[in-house]
Amino acid sequence: MNPALGPLAARLVDPPVTPSPDEARSQVGRELLRPEYHEQNVVERMIVWLQRVLDGWVTAAAGAPPLVTLAWMVVGLALVVGLVLLLSRVRRRPTAAQPAGPLDVAATSASELRRRAQEALDAGRAEEALLDGFRALAVRQVERHRLDDAPGATADEVASTLGSTYPERRAALDDSARLFDLVLYGHRPATPEQAAGVLALDDELAR
């Protein structure tokens, strides 16, 4: 190295700053892909992670030459900007709507649900008849105080609870709950016989 260049040459031969701005943004993207950031308090988790990274950078840059420190500051700013943009996209992303369970029927009575189910069955709409038939069965048991009114309950939970009350109908309840899930969540077709079986089960439990 030419002695005449002095300190300027020493600054020029310093190793390049790592990571670069592009690499910093890539690190943020990889960090956001970790499964724990899809849980609640994602913003809080990212702030803690960013603070930890920046603390490490401040420590590393404390004894670095001015140009290197400035470069670290630029990378840090790019990292913060990238983080803000990514979090804003995550917040704008629509949440997939969850299908309604058998008790999520907006205060519709069991009689009304059963009427709709029978009309659908008579019109050849077996899937609709099966779904409303199972809903009518569940709501009727709520009305008779044999089942808690829990709109978030699944069909399996409804069948399990009623199976304890009607042990002789446990198998039929489990089969009806399975069909309800297959039609509602799996978009599987139903036969008129399957729908009629759910309505017949509702009649048996009502008696």
Side-chain angles (χ1 to χ4, degrees), residues 26-189:
S26 178
Q27 288 182 8
V28 175
R30 289 195 298 270
E31 186 70 17
L32 282 174
L33 290 176
R34 294 174 60 182
E36 54 264 35
Y37 293 110
H38 294 277
E39 302 172 357
Q40 294 182 352
N41 299 324
V42 61
V43 175
E44 181 179 341
R45 289 175 178 271
M46 285 303 303
I47 290 175
V48 172
W49 174 80
L50 181 60
Q51 183 178 3
R52 186 171 64 249
V53 172
L54 292 179
D55 287 345
W57 285 5
V58 170
T59 301
L67 288 179
V68 175
T69 302
L70 178 61
W72 279 110
M73 292 174 62
V74 172
V75 172
L77 180 60
L79 183 62
V80 172
V81 172
L83 174 62
V84 171
L85 292 175
L86 287 172
L87 287 178
S88 65
R89 291 180 181 178
V90 169
R91 286 184 172 183
R92 288 197 302 265
R93 186 176 302 165
T95 303
Q98 297 297 323
L103 291 175
D104 190 3
V105 289
T108 306
S109 67
S111 298
E112 174 64 17
L113 288 167
R114 177 56 188 265
R115 183 190 64 79
R116 284 172 19 187
Q118 189 63 56
E119 287 182 356
L121 182 60
D122 294 341
R125 302 190 304 272
E127 292 80 11
E128 183 179 335
L130 190 148
L131 294 177
D132 276 342
F134 191 84
R135 292 181 181 123
L137 182 156
V139 172
R140 193 181 312 280
Q141 297 306 308
V142 170
E143 293 173 351
R144 297 191 172 197
H145 306 290
R146 295 170 181 170
L147 184 67
D148 291 335
D149 186 7
T154 65
D156 286 339
E157 291 170 342
V158 169
S160 177
T161 301
L162 293 179
S164 300
T165 305
Y166 306 100
E168 72 282 0
R169 294 291 180 265
R170 182 184 298 274
L173 285 164
D174 289 341
D175 288 343
S176 296
R178 180 180 57 83
L179 289 171
F180 181 89
D181 287 341
L182 286 174
V183 173
L184 181 61
Y185 301 103
H187 306 289
R188 297 281 295 276

